[in-house]
Amino acid sequence: MRVLIIEDDPAIAANLYDFLEARGHSVDAAADGLTALHLAVTHEFDGILLDLGLPGIDGIALCRKLREEAHLDTPILIVTARDTLDDKLKGFEHGADDYLVKPFALKEVEARLLALHKRHTGKLVSRTLQAGELTLDPKTLSIRFAGAAVKLPPKCIRLLERLMSEPGRVFGRRELETEVWGDTQESSDTLRSHMHILRRALIDAGGRDPIETVHGIGYRLRSDAT
Ligand code: CA
C-alpha cells in the first residue's frame, strides 16, 4: 500500500514510518497540513493516516479540504489523542473513514488501513464509465465531456456516476435521492439544485446537455450523450 502519514509529533511519525515501511508499504510523511495537502493531491495514496492536532490547518479542516476541495476519496484513518465522541463524529462528518485513539498498536494501524483499502477498492468500478463523449473514471473521479475536463462537487459526481451506469434508463427522483444522500430525507430542492450544477458544468464544458428531465418522474442520461 502507498500510505501518507500526517503527524507533527516526530517520534510518533518515525515509529509509524519505520513500522509500515518494514512491513513493505511505500510511505510518505508530512508534519503539517499544507505539506500534507500538497502531497495528497500530487501523489496517489491508498490510505491516509491523519493526526487531528496539527499546526497550521487543523486535522478536521484538512480532512474536509481533502474531500471537498481536492475531491480525494482515499480512505482516511484518523489517529489522535482526542477520544471524545464529538471529535469522532466531527471526523466522520468531514469525510474520515475510521478512527483510532492514541496510544495505539502499530499492528492495528496497519490492519485498519488494509481493511479500509480493501473495502475501498471493492467499491470501485474497475472500468471507466463512458456514454458518448462523456467519460467518468470512478477511481480518480476525473470527468471529461466533449474533450474538456469537468470539475464537480462529490454529490454531483455520484449523481452522474449513477446516471452513467445505465445510459437511457429513467431514474426516479426518490431513487436518486436515496442512492446519493442515503436515507436522510432531503428536500426535492437538494436533488434539483445538484442536478442544475451538474448540467450547467457539462454544458459549460462545451457539449449539448446530456441529461434529460423526464417530467413527473426523474432524470436520465441520453444514450447518445455527446
Ligand atoms: Ca499532533
Side-chain angles (χ1 to χ4, degrees):
M1 277 182 76
R2 293 155 298 183
V3 181
L4 174 61
I5 299 168
I6 308 172
E7 167 66 73
D8 64 321
D9 183 316
I12 297 176
N15 246 341
L16 285 166
Y17 193 104
D18 292 347
F19 177 80
L20 291 171
E21 197 174 45
R23 299 280 299 169
H25 302 290
S26 146
V27 191
D28 262 309
D32 64 87
L34 277 182
T35 310
L37 202 55
H38 177 73
L39 277 173
V41 295
T42 53
H43 295 65
E44 214 173 289
F45 294 101
D46 302 308
I48 296 175
L49 272 174
L50 174 63
D51 174 36
L52 284 192
L54 290 170
I57 311 173
D58 169 71
I60 293 283
L62 180 60
C63 193
R64 190 178 50 74
K65 276 180 188 290
L66 291 170
R67 291 288 186 247
E68 290 174 17
E69 291 174 27
H71 301 299
L72 279 189
D73 69 340
T74 313
I76 296 176
L77 172 61
I78 286 178
V79 283
T80 179
R82 304 179 197 172
D83 58 354
T84 67
L85 181 62
D86 266 5
D87 286 320
K88 283 185 205 182
L89 294 179
K90 222 185 281 171
F92 290 133
E93 202 179 297
H94 291 290
D97 298 277
D98 201 359
Y99 197 97
L100 209 50
V101 174
K102 294 174 185 173
F104 46 76
L106 291 165
K107 276 188 177 167
E108 186 173 7
V109 173
E110 187 196 24
R112 293 217 188 193
L113 280 174
L114 287 170
L116 287 175
H117 178 53
K118 199 174 162 196
R119 206 167 77 197
H120 182 67
T121 49
K123 270 196 314 200
L124 294 174
V125 183
S126 55
R127 65 187 179 89
T128 299
L129 295 169
Q130 181 158 19
E133 281 193 87
L134 186 58
T135 58
L136 187 158
D137 181 342
K139 195 167 182 300
T140 59
L141 298 181
S142 68
I143 296 153
R144 298 190 70 82
F145 184 51
V150 182
K151 284 234 171 269
L152 288 170
K155 296 293 186 196
C156 291
I157 296 177
R158 187 72 198 90
L159 276 175
L160 183 62
E161 192 181 4
R162 197 65 196 96
L163 293 174
M164 287 183 76
S165 68
E166 292 175 73
R169 188 193 136 189
V170 178
F171 287 87
R173 287 200 192 93
R174 195 76 204 95
E175 181 184 358
L176 287 173
E177 280 166 3
T178 307
E179 291 209 20
V180 176
W181 286 275
D183 286 332
T184 51
Q185 293 287 318
E186 294 291 333
S187 72
S188 55
D189 273 354
T190 308
L191 175 61
R192 197 177 308 141
S193 57
H194 279 79
M195 207 47 101
H196 179 77
I197 295 168
L198 170 58
R199 295 171 88 164
R200 174 50 50 198
L202 292 172
I203 292 166
D204 286 349
R208 187 160 70 102
D209 187 356
I211 296 169
E212 273 178 4
T213 304
V214 182
H215 288 289
I217 304 173
Y219 303 91
R220 71 170 179 170
L221 190 78
R222 288 206 319 266
S223 41
D224 63 337
T226 52

